[in-house]
Amino acid sequence: MHSKILILDFGSQVTQLIARRVRDAGVFSEVHPYDVSDEFIKNYGAAGIILSGGPSSVTEGDTPRAPAAVYEAGVPIFGICYGMQTMAEQLGGKVENGLVREFGYAEVRARGHTALFREINDFVTPEGHGMLKVWMSHGDKVNEMPPGFKLMASTDNCPIAAMADEERRFYAVQFHPEVTHTLQGEAILGRFVHEICGCKSDWNMPDYISEAVASIRAQVGDDEVILGLSGGVDSSVAAALIHRAIGDKLTCVFVDHGLLRLDEGKMVMEMFANNLGVKVIHVDATAQFMGHLAGVSDPEAKRKIIGREFVEVFQVESGKLSNAKWLAQGTIYPDVIESAGKGKKGSHTIKSHHNVGGLPDTLNLKLLEPLRELFKDEVRKLGVALGLPHSMVYRHPFPGPGLGVRILGEVKKEFADLLRRADAIFIEELRSTYVDPHAEKPQSWYDATSQAFAVFLPVKSVGVMGDGRTYEYVVALRAVQTQDFMTAHWAHLPHELLGKVSNRIINEVRGINRVVYDISGKPPATIEWE
Ligand code: XMP
């Protein structure tokens, strides 16, 4: 059994980052709502508990508090921002409603030589004080420490910026160590979990495989499992993992709706059926999808049709596998956390995975979700450890409705064929052009962007090729950089690269005579055009 860290979520936007940082330190951690029961805390077996930040104010009566059992569990506790304030208030200190909000960069002076900060600093002042460069985001602040606590750090604005009761191993900071702007955040969280909680670094993906394989075997026994393989990272890694566990008892269904990227079907079959020996049913449903999409140009209507037909095809194919008792899905941990009712008691509900989304209950299958505990970067590491190629596991995301949302207006097979080829040229050039070719480890523009693709515009414009006039379609290129896909910047691709892509598309894809580059951020634009 791994040692594990329990994170109680008070609703901060960045709680997930705490779990990721702890896992980066090689220690398993999970996020649960702040109002789990005392019983839950007692039975959880945490080696340490972290209280997250949150938007509320402890100075108001009916705001979140940690369960009493947290402070009686006998394990180290680390309060962050709101987590510090609730700890202070619950243990007999005082919190005041700050008149001035403190937001952004700050320098805090470490004090008291506590185990949490010892020898961790960004610089030392001429007077010999260790200083930390941190990120603050708070209105309230602790103005009186609870009995037994001593000062651990301060700023001019916030005299009690961190505090500790080292006897009980309770630590609290007003700043956010989980964000990268806090330069020593990783060192501080690492210090807490390793040295203060005594956790070993025993969480890594190569070792996790044998554990996951054993648990899949225990869960499904001799039953058969079906999985909707989309070619995306999550379903691919889930397929490889389940296949490792139960071999031929897994059957994958790969639905080609005619709106996939160039050679996607070939690549998936090559990888899974030929290389890994996974049973894959390849369904070419292009005609069915195109038939239903004919004459439809409204984006939402198109999405609905694609979703509905996907379920239809999947249902027919899975109906043929009469022994299957389980439906496997590539649900990952952020899906699980996001769908857990914020601040509500009780167990997590599951959001249906959007790529094979909305598969109906009438399938009468039990759900197998072997990636439920993993973050995206862990899923990728697991994929590599399972032998999937790096280029597949680190691919940009691709939406479930595929090229259906990248062909504006009515979808036609002819448009999809043109778009596929233009898109493939764009991606090929991004992969083979480096941001800085002289860097020690050159990074391709593909890896330097979060998502890049071509969009088909069903308008014709005039061009000239050789001695002739052309009257053909337009393709827009889109490339964005983003952390979370909620907001995004357009990528500043070099003009030479854009020029080369444009030349190649116009020369190699007959039917397209103009290429434009999308320079809109999100917001106000979205990443996809539909
Ligand atoms: P937007 O266009 O809303 O997209 O800025 C944000 C991210 O979500 C992806 N996306 C989808 N993914 N099914 C998916 O699996 C969908 O229906 C869907 N729509 C958008 C999009 O590619 C981008 O990464």
Side-chain angles (χ1 to χ4, degrees):
M1 220 20 220
H2 302 288
S3 44
K4 49 186 182 176
I5 296 291
L6 172 62
I7 297 163
L8 293 183
D9 182 15
F10 288 88
S12 155
Q13 298 293 321
V14 289
T15 302
Q16 279 195 32
L17 286 182
I18 307 174
R20 289 186 49 181
R21 294 277 167 275
V22 172
R23 290 193 191 189
D24 284 345
V27 178
F28 184 67
S29 69
E30 280 184 331
V31 178
H32 286 272
Y34 71 88
D35 62 351
V36 291
S37 64
D38 283 343
E39 218 47 41
F40 177 92
I41 304 280
K42 282 182 198 143
N43 296 330
Y44 187 82
I49 300 173
I50 299 178
L51 310 177
S52 86
S56 314
S57 170
V58 299
T59 61
E60 287 160 25
D62 194 22
T63 48
R65 298 290 183 273
V70 165
Y71 304 105
E72 291 150 16
V75 298
I77 306 176
F78 189 11
I80 295 174
C81 195
Y82 186 87
M84 166 165 170
Q85 294 158 11
T86 189
M87 182 192 283
E89 201 263 355
Q90 288 182 275
L91 298 178
K94 286 209 173 69
V95 176
E96 72 175 8
N97 204 233
L99 297 174
V100 191
R101 280 183 61 82
E102 192 178 13
F103 185 84
Y105 177 77
E107 287 178 2
V108 308
R109 175 179 157 191
R111 290 176 184 264
H113 300 281
T114 54
L116 191 67
F117 289 170
R118 189 171 299 133
E119 281 156 27
I120 296 179
N121 61 60
D122 288 299
F123 65 98
V124 178
T125 63
E127 299 81 46
H129 303 309
M131 301 292 290
L132 292 164
K133 297 181 174 183
V134 305
W135 195 71
M136 291 272 196
S137 170
H138 66 108
D140 293 358
K141 56 189 175 194
V142 174
N143 64 359
E144 195 181 310
M145 288 184 283
F149 277 74
K150 66 174 182 181
L151 188 63
M152 184 160 66
S154 58
T155 68
D156 292 343
N157 264 334
C158 187
I160 305 175
M163 60 181 196
D165 175 346
E166 297 218 86
E167 204 156 301
R168 287 190 283 178
R169 297 178 298 166
F170 291 176
Y171 296 85
V173 297
Q174 187 52 65
F175 59 86
H176 286 270
E178 69 275 33
V179 302
T180 48
H181 310 283
T182 297
L183 301 183
Q184 299 298 327
E186 201 179 316
I188 294 167
L189 281 162
R191 170 73 59 83
F192 178 71
V193 299
H194 289 135
E195 290 171 39
I196 296 174
C197 300
C199 298
K200 289 201 289 287
S201 294
D202 56 5
W203 175 251
N204 66 69
M205 286 304 111
D207 289 355
Y208 176 69
I209 293 176
S210 53
E211 210 176 287
V213 160
S215 101
I216 293 168
R217 285 184 187 150
Q219 201 177 349
V220 305
D222 286 330
D223 294 346
E224 294 199 9
V225 177
I226 52 175
L227 177 144
L229 190 58
S230 70
V233 178
D234 302 342
S235 69
S236 297
V237 175
L241 179 62
I242 298 168
H243 182 255
R244 179 76 68 95
I246 61 169
D248 262 4
K249 299 225 175 66
L250 169 71
T251 304
C252 296
V253 179
F254 176 70
V255 180
D256 184 345
H257 45 28
L259 299 166
L260 298 172
R261 289 169 283 195
L262 190 70
D263 292 335
E264 181 99 36
K266 219 160 84 192
M267 189 194 80
V268 168
M269 293 310 283
E270 181 73 30
M271 179 78 252
F272 287 93
N274 301 350
N275 287 2
L276 294 176
V278 178
K279 275 200 281 182
V280 187
I281 299 173
H282 182 180
V283 191
D284 183 358
T286 308
Q288 179 177 339
F289 279 84
M290 292 301 159
H292 285 281
L293 286 168
V296 182
S297 54
D298 176 67
E300 274 315 297
K302 284 160 58 180
R303 275 173 181 274
K304 288 215 174 81
I305 291 169
I306 297 168
R308 185 192 70 206
E309 291 308 307
F310 189 93
V311 171
E312 175 70 28
V313 175
F314 194 86
Q315 213 159 6
V316 169
E317 292 305 319
S318 58
K320 295 178 189 162
L321 304 165
S322 51
N323 286 331
K325 299 265 187 313
W326 295 84
L327 175 69
Q329 294 202 331
T331 314
I332 67 172
Y333 196 46
D335 301 334
V336 174
I337 301 179
E338 275 158 27
S339 57
K342 271 243 183 295
K344 284 204 201 82
K345 276 207 168 78
S347 63
H348 289 151
T349 48
I350 306 149
K351 180 171 76 180
S352 54
H353 194 241
H354 46 221
N355 272 331
V356 279
L359 289 175
D361 297 343
T362 52
L363 284 171
N364 265 333
L365 298 167
K366 292 178 272 187
L367 267 190
L368 177 65
E369 299 178 306
L371 310 179
R372 266 182 81 82
E373 292 187 332
L374 307 184
F375 285 110
K376 193 81 174 186
D377 48 338
E378 294 174 321
V379 171
R380 293 195 155 120
K381 285 183 191 144
L382 178 63
V384 171
L386 284 162
L388 295 177
H390 189 276
S391 58
M392 174 184 226
V393 165
Y394 284 86
R395 274 211 297 181
H396 291 169
F398 186 66
L403 303 185
V405 291
R406 295 180 181 172
I407 294 168
L408 303 197
E410 185 180 357
V411 176
K412 294 184 181 160
K413 181 165 183 309
E414 169 208 347
F415 295 169
D417 289 338
L418 291 174
L419 178 57
R420 254 188 282 274
R421 290 168 54 209
D423 185 73
I425 290 170
F426 185 29
I427 299 301
E428 194 181 307
E429 291 299 332
L430 287 173
R431 281 199 189 274
S432 61
T433 311
Y434 295 101
V435 178
D436 174 7
H438 306 296
E440 200 176 314
K441 275 193 186 161
Q443 187 188 36
S444 73
W445 272 105
Y446 185 84
D447 289 330
T449 48
S450 315
Q451 203 170 10
F453 51 88
V455 180
F456 185 85
L457 312 188
V459 286
K460 287 188 166 182
S461 76
V462 173
V464 51
M465 272 183 111
D467 292 327
R469 172 188 186 274
T470 58
Y471 186 53
E472 294 173 340
Y473 292 112
V474 183
V475 151
L477 306 177
R478 180 86 164 129
V480 297
Q481 290 167 318
T482 170
Q483 294 291 330
D484 55 10
F485 296 88
M486 308 288 280
T487 62
H489 299 287
W490 59 274
H492 290 218
L493 299 180
H495 290 180
E496 298 71 30
L497 170 59
L498 288 168
K500 188 168 177 203
V501 173
S502 166
N503 259 335
R504 279 196 60 195
I505 291 176
I506 294 170
N507 281 316
E508 295 173 34
V509 187
R510 217 47 238 271
I512 294 170
N513 69 352
R514 193 176 293 273
V515 173
V516 298
Y517 189 51
D518 180 351
I519 50 167
S520 335
K522 173 183 179 177
T526 51
I527 296 173
E528 303 289 350
W529 279 41
E530 280 195 347

